[in-house]
Amino acid sequence: MRVAFAAFEAFPNHKGAGTRITQTLTALAEAGHDVHLISLPPRTNTPLPAGVTHHPLRAFASNYLERALGFRG
């Protein structure tokens, strides 16, 4: 199964949400799914879980609301 996981979050990151996303992506990939992550670009060089393809979404607006609205597109 192909799975798209979208997160309005810079990923990978070291926050609580980053830990939750990592665990979810890892579980999906280990279950044999073709996992595609859509998120804001990473802020660290932490490697992604094995079996996950990252599609970083560039959101250049400085305002949080404008970035969120850009993410929906």
Side-chain angles (χ1 to χ4, degrees):
M1 176 187 317
R2 293 180 73 192
V3 177
F5 188 102
F8 185 65
E9 187 82 36
F11 185 83
N13 66 53
H14 298 294
K15 297 182 346 184
T19 300
R20 177 186 52 80
I21 293 168
T22 298
Q23 291 174 345
T24 302
L25 295 174
T26 300
L28 289 167
E30 287 178 352
H33 301 298
D34 180 18
V35 182
H36 293 265
L37 169 66
I38 303 162
S39 76
L40 296 176
R43 294 185 180 154
T44 67
N45 291 328
T46 306
L48 291 171
V52 175
T53 303
H54 192 200
H55 304 277
L57 178 66
R58 306 274 180 225
F60 294 108
S62 60
N63 177 284
Y64 182 83
L65 181 57
E66 290 175 12
R67 285 196 312 270
L69 291 173
F71 188 77
R72 71 178 177 182

